Amino acid sequence: MTSGFVAVDGPRLVDGDGSTLVLRGFGLGGWLNMENFITGYPSTESLQRKALRRVLGDEGYERFFDAFLTSFFTDDDAAYLASLGLNSLRIPFNYRHFEDDDRPFELKESGFRRLDAVVDSCARHGIYTILDLHALPGAQNQHWHSDNPTHYAQFWNHKHFQDRVVHLWEALADRYKDQPWVAGYNPINEPGDATGEVIGPFYDRLSAAIRAVDPHHVLFLDGNRYSTEFTMFGDPLPNTVYTAHDYALPGFVDGGPYPGESRGQYVDRGVVEKTFLARTEFMRSTGTPIWIGEFGPVYTGDPARDEQRYRLLEDQLALYREHGASWALWTYKDIGLQGLVHARSDSPYLRRIAPVLEKKARLGVDAWGSVDDGVRSVLDPIDELFEKEFPDYAPFPWGRKRWVDVLVRHILLAEPMVGDFARCFEGVTPDEAAELGASFAFGACDRREPLAELLSRYAR
């Protein structure tokens, strides 16, 4: 067992004994912070939860989510990750597990207990954990994965939201300050501060607040623009890792062949390396460790295309090895798009939501899990209008086309589909709700064996 805490030592991480530590593992997306493409619902987690409570009733709702949250990651999952040689797990969570909006600053023990369970399971199997606040009050970015019902990140505009996050991290730091298997804290996932003026001072404030409670654990700070930009930061903070996310164009659901053209750009290993070097220039120039907090392709089910995506992933893993970079692949478990482990297609849950999955794919509703082919008749006239009337419009963070996608596909079409999702659960009894929630238990899931073999080679 480790005798101390993970720490930053120049350009490397070290374990409690002072030996070089390279963190290699997964992000646990879809658990304490749910995402639509990971578990199959449309729109945001909050809208999904309201719809399920309405149709299942309080008892059915509680039984479903208790079974889901209890079974999604257990000792069986931790043992499996350890068997592959992986040594870390990034744990995303939504602030709503710890605090209600109508009772700000009153923290709920239930959220801490859920987090404790996974931290303890991982520790028993020699796996470090990184605690990741993935959805903040007011939403720290413009997309669904911060449980944002709009396309604006209000967190950066309201001190009230910022005060609540500082308060929550003070409590988290106090809870885990003596836990050496917690590698550190990732306080804000993929920040989207459109001005770029608030994030630096807020990180300074948050770091000081955490350090006052817990001077030992590493801070993992994401760059702005969804962890891709670091120019607004000055000298590195002590015992801090600056975190890049490194998704590659050929790995997206609409990505092309690899090597080949994706979204009008030719991408081969040289381009993948150039992108990685650009995204990690701040770390290399400041002599601080590199941790790729998220990366990884989605899979299509077509053997030839998926083989190209494994090739892309292997090129990235080889680059990380060359540069001594730690990494956390996104994501460990889902319904079959990206995860290493996924619910079986004939599971009670997937059978029940099959009509919604088909409709989501047809209408291109999910940002991460679907394409827009089925709604071009809607999008083409909008694109033509904007090209004519607003040719220079390029909103933060990703420009006009992605902005329109968010408004039309991921909000306008997704919100009414939450009703379709709820109707899939009509007539479900509390016992049946619990059975549905348990569909993600390790023993009820399948594994993506080519991915497991590839990761095992690079983990060791």
Side-chain angles (χ1 to χ4, degrees):
M1 289 183 64
T2 183
S3 60
F5 297 95
V6 174
V8 171
D9 180 17
R12 65 182 187 139
L13 286 169
V14 295
D15 65 16
D17 297 321
S19 300
T20 296
L21 175 66
V22 178
L23 298 172
R24 304 180 180 96
F26 271 97
L28 187 59
W31 180 55
L32 284 186
N33 188 75
M34 300 182 74
E35 295 192 43
N36 47 40
F37 78 95
I38 294 179
T39 54
Y41 63 88
S43 193
T44 65
E45 176 178 357
S46 291
L47 284 179
Q48 174 216 200
R49 283 178 168 271
K50 289 178 182 177
L52 287 180
R53 186 180 288 278
R54 185 173 64 250
V55 72
L56 292 175
D58 289 345
E59 182 183 358
Y61 172 91
E62 297 295 343
R63 293 280 300 278
F64 174 83
F65 279 104
D66 182 64
F68 173 83
L69 293 169
T70 301
S71 65
F72 196 91
F73 193 94
T74 66
D75 265 23
D76 291 338
D77 296 279
Y80 177 56
L81 291 178
S83 76
L84 299 178
L86 298 169
N87 67 356
S88 63
L89 185 71
R90 178 179 181 237
I91 309 176
F93 49 91
N94 190 318
Y95 80 94
R96 297 178 192 277
H97 284 282
F98 300 87
E99 182 188 69
D100 294 323
D101 286 330
D102 60 352
R103 306 188 73 162
F105 302 103
E106 294 184 23
L107 299 183
K108 299 187 291 186
E109 176 65 17
S110 57
F112 291 99
R113 286 198 301 268
R114 293 287 186 190
L115 201 51
D116 287 347
V118 170
V119 168
D120 292 346
S121 285
C122 287
R124 283 192 291 272
H125 293 277
I127 295 173
Y128 292 101
T129 46
I130 300 97
L131 310 186
D132 156 37
L133 185 54
H134 217 76
L136 280 62
Q140 78 279 9
N141 62 42
Q142 292 76 16
H143 287 87
W144 79 97
H145 45 84
S146 59
D147 201 12
N148 188 347
T150 75
H151 55 301
Y152 288 106
Q154 297 290 2
F155 172 80
W156 307 104
N157 300 327
H158 294 279
K159 186 176 182 295
H160 169 76
F161 294 142
Q162 297 164 22
D163 291 348
R164 287 165 63 184
V165 167
V166 171
H167 179 252
L168 175 56
W169 271 112
E170 287 172 333
L172 288 161
D174 186 62
R175 182 87 167 202
Y176 296 104
K177 63 186 178 184
D178 298 322
Q179 172 51 277
W181 283 105
V182 172
Y185 310 134
N186 188 191
I188 303 179
N189 175 69
E190 294 194 342
D193 173 13
T195 68
E197 298 173 356
V198 184
I199 183 173
F202 182 72
Y203 270 164
D204 290 341
R205 177 193 174 193
L206 183 59
S207 172
I210 293 173
R211 296 295 189 213
V213 177
D214 176 358
H216 301 299
H217 280 96
V218 173
L219 295 183
F220 295 86
L221 300 183
D222 282 21
N224 200 27
R225 200 185 294 264
Y226 294 53
S227 209
T228 62
E229 289 186 354
F230 302 85
T231 55
M232 65 288 303
F233 302 138
D235 293 335
L237 296 171
N239 205 30
T240 296
V241 173
Y242 291 85
T243 305
H245 291 184
D246 194 29
Y247 291 105
L249 288 178
F252 290 113
V253 68
D254 60 350
Y258 180 76
E261 188 171 296
S262 292
R263 298 181 184 174
Q265 179 180 343
Y266 184 84
V267 181
D268 59 10
R269 191 186 189 282
V271 172
V272 170
E273 181 173 21
K274 182 179 179 180
T275 303
F276 165 78
L277 291 174
R279 289 173 175 170
T280 59
E281 196 278 332
F282 179 82
M283 302 77 166
R284 290 179 293 105
S285 66
T286 56
T288 51
I290 298 172
W291 184 54
I292 303 300
E294 288 184 22
F295 72 109
V298 301
Y299 301 97
T300 67
D302 178 283
R305 290 186 68 191
D306 286 350
E307 181 58 36
Q308 293 176 352
R309 298 189 176 213
Y310 291 130
R311 190 183 315 157
L312 167 65
L313 178 59
E314 183 159 18
D315 282 350
Q316 290 184 289
L317 291 169
L319 279 170
Y320 304 161
R321 176 180 283 178
E322 290 171 19
H323 289 270
S326 296
W327 46 265
L329 187 66
W330 194 262
T331 182
Y332 169 62
K333 186 180 284 186
D334 66 358
I335 59 172
L337 184 71
Q338 194 170 19
L340 171 65
V341 174
H342 57 87
R344 292 178 183 139
S345 58
D346 63 349
S347 66
Y349 177 76
L350 283 180
R351 289 201 310 268
R352 184 163 287 276
I353 69 168
V356 167
L357 295 178
E358 183 279 328
K359 190 170 184 177
K360 285 206 303 176
R362 177 162 48 85
L363 298 183
V365 162
D366 285 352
W368 207 254
S370 58
V371 295
D372 62 10
D373 295 354
V375 288
R376 287 315 315 173
S377 61
V378 175
L379 295 173
D380 285 341
I382 296 175
D383 289 343
E384 291 169 7
L385 179 65
F386 268 77
E387 187 62 33
K388 177 182 178 182
E389 302 289 353
F390 311 106
D392 300 323
Y393 185 56
F396 182 94
W398 310 121
R400 186 181 73 205
K401 184 182 186 306
R402 299 298 169 193
W403 197 251
V404 170
D405 277 349
V406 166
L407 288 167
V408 176
R409 295 168 58 195
H410 316 320
I411 296 178
L412 182 64
L413 294 176
E415 285 186 1
M417 202 178 295
V418 175
D420 293 19
F421 183 79
R423 282 188 286 276
C424 292
F425 295 82
E426 288 180 345
V428 169
T429 68
D431 286 345
E432 291 168 337
E435 181 186 8
L436 293 170
S439 294
F440 290 89
F442 184 79
C445 290
D446 289 331
R447 288 168 279 185
R448 199 180 297 276
E449 296 297 346
L451 178 57
E453 190 277 331
L454 174 60
L455 293 175
S456 184
R457 282 193 282 119
Y458 281 88
R460 300 184 193 281

